Amino acid sequence: MAEKPAATAAPHSPPAASTAQEGQAKVKAGVVKMDDIARMAGVSKSTVSRALSGSPLVNEETRVRIQALVESHSYRVDTRAQGLRKGQTRTIAVVIPLLHEHDQPISDPFFLELLGHIADAVADHGYDLLLSKIGPGRASGMTDLVDTGRVDGLIAIGQSTAHLGLEQLAARNLPLVVWGAQLADQHYVTVGSDNRAGAERAVSHLIAQGRRRIVFLGQRSVPEMRLRHDGYVAALEAAGITPDPALDVPTRFASAAALTAMRSLLCGGASFDAVFACSDVIAISAIRALQDQGLTVPEDVAVVGYDDIQMAAFYNPALTTVRQDTATGGRLLVDLLFAQIAGRSARSVMLPTELVVRASSGTVSGTTPPAPR
Amino acid sequence: MAEKPAATAAPHSPPAASTAQEGQAKVKAGVVKMDDIARMAGVSKSTVSRALSGSPLVNEETRVRIQALVESHSYRVDTRAQGLRKGQTRTIAVVIPLLHEHDQPISDPFFLELLGHIADAVADHGYDLLLSKIGPGRASGMTDLVDTGRVDGLIAIGQSTAHLGLEQLAARNLPLVVWGAQLADQHYVTVGSDNRAGAERAVSHLIAQGRRRIVFLGQRSVPEMRLRHDGYVAALEAAGITPDPALDVPTRFASAAALTAMRSLLCGGASFDAVFACSDVIAISAIRALQDQGLTVPEDVAVVGYDDIQMAAFYNPALTTVRQDTATGGRLLVDLLFAQIAGRSARSVMLPTELVVRASSGTVSGTTPPAPR
DNA sequence: CTGAAAGCGCTAACAC
DNA sequence: GTGTTAGCGCTTTCAG
């Protein structure tokens, strides 16, 4: 089979003709290269390159001829080669922590919502998005991503326990933005909600409903959760309530873990009239555990979650929760990363949160239609 | 600042020394290349390349020396250049359909669960995963991904309305696997659950509970949903029930859409005693709509969903649903793709489903603890 | 306006 | 065992 069409003989032949002839033969992708197009157009590779990158140095007629050839042969420039030459990748990595030890899948809907917005924003910049689930000892894996020339920058979702690793990356000056809490001594850029204020408002709301014995459900080893705990304590103290350590229940971010934690609290005979959960997923599991014990929400126990995942409004009872704005969060994450890639400096951003009051905290009747997002 | 250390002078100098000296200077990644390592080791680039790829043709002593240099300078081979030369990318793309017209984020937890498993499997193969949200007219975007040399293969999550586009890709012989329904005339490889059988069992279960007027909630334009509808009809007819078109309610995959659909059904005064929803997210929204009307689930209306997302077990009432095994699904998707990349042929796989009976269909009391996944 | 030439960082024949 | 020589497919000076 003739590999290279002898199209050089008729450089100006109508593209349509060659389409019909060659379309069939091209089974495998990438078969036609810039050189081929150049030869067919009767120009040099350089001219094709220029034409394709919209250089003004190219004759209009030539450009049109090249364009036609490109279309008809559905030629596409190889980004890999282009990137190698230009020293860029046009792709950024999003790193999601393994939620825990085992190769448990990413499971919190909140992450997916955020990821979706990040994906949109990255695409708007014309970049690709590499998704990477990295386990403990994340830092080295993340460094690799850029050292091996696979990505131009990194977005980490959740700092979880990797604070030190992230500091190392920042020290190396790699473009990096992380979704999470803004810590005092930190040198990397974060975007996140005002965890302390959000939690404080949620708990104050509970107190305003007449609740006094409020359970904290969350994992304080994660920075964001620690701040939420701070807010919880602050709200309590502002109301003259002394935090009871017995109501501080450590829980990981999985439904099952939350269920277990709640059950053991119930079995322990603790008395409480409200729960502040560090995520909606945790809140939902907690409610389930409560109901299984014959308790009603919000009558016996009022519950507030965090995140406002889509399902929160549809749960029964509809969940009162602290909304984190994933749309602007995602976009901000990406914008700040591109600022760094462009060599500009970026500052951490703390997003305001909004307390969305629904039925689970005892104020709204359960039959009110949930607010559409 | 001296760009290249004059290390050539002392080729065998202890790596530790140079680390200390240079560690500081290397701010930007990728600064040290294979040539540099070669020079420092006093060998040629090829030898370094060989040593690094574990070729047996390299002297043990040389290899050790090179290894040490590589470590101390934390040199990493550039995958981009490597890929260009070797004609591969070691990355595969996962394409998720924009759920609908607007740039709505990916939102169904089911997708995220599947994505998580795919990510694990891809990583196990040592490949990267490019995440791509592609809108209507997906096919061209997908082709691009491989034509521009960015990925070695494609996984599409959900065929939605892109069947024809996928056929085109398959015709071009691009490595491709799609999560979805196995259609009669299709030339691409799919992995998916047995939608027809799954739905049939779910609906039969409802009938066995004494329900006769069962609503179908889903979007039949999507192949998978059409099959589920077939199963729904089959179950009905097997029981001698004539499907009532009034109970066939088209619904997209979003919570809000499902809520609206259900509400208008209720307003229309239709009479029914059960609902079969095409996804758990739809089921949950439907239950919400029912409850808002003062109806109880499962007493007044029994509800069955599809997917068995994590939250299904925690909903109130706990959701009876058709479980799709995302773990083996994800792994299979990836395995079949790699088979194609390796030039082997692959066959579509239809996974069995499992009906998970919980409270929402009226059989189990609501206080039973949900089965852990 | 266009072409020739020199690489981007790496691997793979092919020599020695 | 190791070095030399060609590229992978593209962009970009530098000369016309």
Side-chain angles (χ1 to χ4, degrees):
Chain A
M1 194 192 294
E3 186 55 32
K4 313 211 171 183
T8 331
H12 292 223
S13 65
S18 43
T19 315
Q21 286 169 222
E22 324 237 304
Q24 313 297 64
K26 308 292 179 204
V27 180
K28 178 75 178 163
V31 150
V32 31
K33 321 159 196 190
M34 192 177 274
D35 244 343
D36 301 332
I37 299 289
R39 211 168 304 124
M40 296 178 205
V43 298
S44 79
K45 226 175 22 172
S46 333
T47 303
V48 175
S49 173
R50 279 192 278 255
L52 260 32
S53 61
S55 157
L57 298 171
V58 108
N59 185 350
E60 196 48 35
E61 193 217 335
T62 316
R63 181 199 308 287
V64 171
R65 197 165 73 246
I66 291 173
Q67 207 79 52
L69 253 1
V70 164
E71 303 275 279
S72 70
H73 290 259
S74 57
Y75 164 76
R76 318 270 24 236
V77 349
D78 184 318
T79 7
R80 197 150 78 284
Q82 194 177 38
L84 180 58
R85 179 60 225 243
K86 304 216 285 193
Q88 43 139 77
T89 64
R90 294 198 78 80
T91 111
I92 77 106
V94 173
V95 181
I96 301 205
L98 267 190
L99 292 191
H100 283 283
E101 301 72 43
H102 317 293
D103 51 335
Q104 178 190 356
I106 326 162
S107 57
D108 198 313
F110 174 74
F111 284 153
L112 186 55
E113 292 184 17
L114 189 56
L115 179 60
H117 288 294
I118 292 173
D120 286 339
V122 167
D124 288 350
H125 284 261
Y127 271 58
D128 285 327
L129 157 22
L130 204 61
L131 184 67
S132 185
K133 275 179 67 181
I134 293 190
R138 299 158 74 192
S140 66
M142 292 173 69
T143 314
D144 249 49
L145 249 17
V146 359
D147 283 352
T148 57
R150 288 182 291 180
V151 305
D152 292 338
L154 298 162
I155 291 178
I157 298 191
Q159 56 217 135
S160 65
T161 50
H163 177 64
L164 275 62
L166 294 171
E167 282 289 341
Q168 287 173 27
L169 294 197
R172 284 202 42 203
N173 254 328
L174 304 182
L176 164 71
V177 185
V178 357
W179 172 267
Q182 196 168 340
L183 270 25
D185 54 339
Q186 120 204 330
H187 296 98
Y188 51 89
V189 176
T190 51
V191 173
S193 70
D194 188 341
N195 293 290
R196 196 179 183 291
E200 186 168 357
R201 267 176 79 193
V203 176
S204 297
H205 164 72
L206 249 13
I207 295 170
Q209 308 303 309
R211 312 291 171 155
R212 313 290 293 177
R213 299 204 35 86
I214 303 172
V215 173
F216 176 87
L217 226 45
Q219 185 176 228
R220 275 156 68 189
S221 61
V222 176
E224 296 172 77
M225 306 308 129
R226 193 165 48 61
L227 290 176
R228 291 180 198 172
H229 187 265
D230 289 350
Y232 159 84
V233 171
L236 251 30
E237 291 180 341
I241 304 173
T242 310
D244 179 352
L247 299 183
D248 187 345
V249 183
T251 314
R252 292 182 298 128
F253 275 92
S255 309
L259 192 74
T260 310
M262 202 63 207
R263 280 194 187 139
S264 64
L265 182 68
L266 287 163
C267 291
S271 89
F272 55 91
D273 52 16
V275 171
F276 170 62
C278 272
S279 82
D280 287 348
V281 170
I282 292 178
I284 285 171
S285 305
I287 292 178
R288 170 101 231 135
L290 257 13
Q291 291 171 334
D292 286 350
Q293 290 301 312
L295 296 169
T296 62
V297 176
E299 291 75 10
D300 296 326
V301 179
V303 177
V304 177
Y306 207 103
D307 290 345
D308 195 23
I309 59 174
Q310 297 226 167
M311 203 155 307
F314 297 95
Y315 195 68
N316 175 33
L319 203 60
T320 293
T321 185
V322 179
R323 177 179 299 174
Q324 304 204 72
D325 186 346
T326 53
T328 89
R331 197 150 293 275
L332 222 40
L333 242 11
V334 172
D335 288 346
L336 294 182
L337 184 65
F338 278 107
Q340 290 181 47
I341 290 177
R344 282 174 279 134
S345 71
R347 296 177 95 80
S348 293
V349 174
M350 194 156 72
L351 266 17
T353 56
E354 183 191 347
L355 179 68
V356 181
V357 178
R358 301 203 184 91
S360 71
S361 58
T363 12
V364 181
S365 114
T367 55
T368 301
R373 289 168 62 103
Chain B
M1 196 191 292
E3 185 57 29
K4 312 210 174 188
T8 329
H12 292 222
S13 66
S18 41
T19 315
Q21 286 169 222
E22 324 237 301
Q24 312 298 63
K26 308 291 178 202
V27 180
K28 177 76 179 166
V31 151
V32 31
K33 322 159 193 191
M34 193 178 274
D35 244 344
D36 300 332
I37 299 290
R39 210 169 304 121
M40 297 176 203
V43 298
S44 79
K45 225 175 24 170
S46 335
T47 302
V48 175
S49 174
R50 280 192 278 256
L52 259 31
S53 62
S55 158
L57 298 170
V58 161
N59 184 350
E60 196 48 35
E61 192 217 337
T62 315
R63 181 198 309 287
V64 171
R65 197 166 71 246
I66 291 172
Q67 208 78 53
L69 253 0
V70 164
E71 303 276 280
S72 69
H73 290 258
S74 58
Y75 163 76
R76 318 271 22 236
V77 350
D78 185 318
T79 10
R80 196 150 78 285
Q82 195 177 36
L84 180 58
R85 177 61 226 241
K86 305 216 285 193
Q88 43 139 76
T89 64
R90 293 198 81 80
T91 113
I92 75 107
V94 172
V95 181
I96 301 204
L98 265 191
L99 293 191
H100 284 283
E101 301 73 44
H102 317 293
D103 53 334
Q104 178 190 357
I106 325 163
S107 57
D108 196 313
F110 174 75
F111 284 153
L112 185 55
E113 291 185 17
L114 189 55
L115 179 60
H117 288 294
I118 292 173
D120 286 339
V122 167
D124 287 350
H125 284 261
Y127 272 58
D128 284 328
L129 158 20
L130 204 61
L131 184 66
S132 185
K133 274 181 68 181
I134 292 192
R138 300 157 74 193
S140 65
M142 291 172 70
T143 314
D144 250 49
L145 249 16
V146 1
D147 284 353
T148 56
R150 287 182 291 180
V151 304
D152 292 339
L154 299 162
I155 291 179
I157 298 192
Q159 57 217 136
S160 65
T161 51
H163 177 62
L164 275 63
L166 293 171
E167 281 291 341
Q168 288 172 27
L169 294 197
R172 285 202 41 203
N173 254 328
L174 304 183
L176 164 71
V177 184
V178 357
W179 171 267
Q182 197 168 339
L183 270 24
D185 54 340
Q186 119 202 334
H187 296 97
Y188 52 87
V189 175
T190 51
V191 173
S193 70
D194 189 342
N195 293 290
R196 196 181 183 288
E200 186 168 359
R201 268 176 80 190
V203 175
S204 298
H205 164 71
L206 248 13
I207 295 171
Q209 308 303 309
R211 313 291 171 155
R212 313 290 293 178
R213 300 203 36 84
I214 303 172
V215 173
F216 176 88
L217 226 46
Q219 184 174 228
R220 275 155 69 188
S221 60
V222 176
E224 297 172 76
M225 305 309 129
R226 194 165 47 61
L227 291 176
R228 290 178 198 174
H229 187 264
D230 290 349
Y232 160 83
V233 170
L236 251 31
E237 291 181 338
I241 304 172
T242 310
D244 179 350
L247 299 184
D248 186 347
V249 183
T251 314
R252 293 181 299 128
F253 275 91
S255 309
L259 193 73
T260 311
M262 202 64 207
R263 279 192 188 142
S264 64
L265 182 69
L266 287 162
C267 291
S271 90
F272 55 90
D273 53 16
V275 171
F276 169 62
C278 272
S279 82
D280 287 347
V281 170
I282 293 178
I284 285 170
S285 306
I287 292 178
R288 170 101 230 135
L290 258 13
Q291 291 172 333
D292 286 349
Q293 292 300 312
L295 296 170
T296 62
V297 177
E299 291 75 9
D300 296 326
V301 179
V303 176
V304 177
Y306 207 104
D307 292 343
D308 195 24
I309 59 175
Q310 298 225 166
M311 203 156 307
F314 298 95
Y315 196 66
N316 175 33
L319 203 59
T320 293
T321 185
V322 179
R323 176 179 300 175
Q324 304 204 71
D325 186 347
T326 52
T328 90
R331 197 149 294 273
L332 222 39
L333 242 13
V334 172
D335 288 347
L336 294 182
L337 184 65
F338 278 107
Q340 290 181 48
I341 290 176
R344 283 174 278 133
S345 69
R347 298 177 93 80
S348 293
V349 174
M350 196 158 70
L351 265 18
T353 56
E354 182 190 348
L355 180 68
V356 182
V357 178
R358 301 202 184 92
S360 71
S361 59
T363 12
V364 181
S365 112
T367 55
T368 301
R373 290 168 61 103

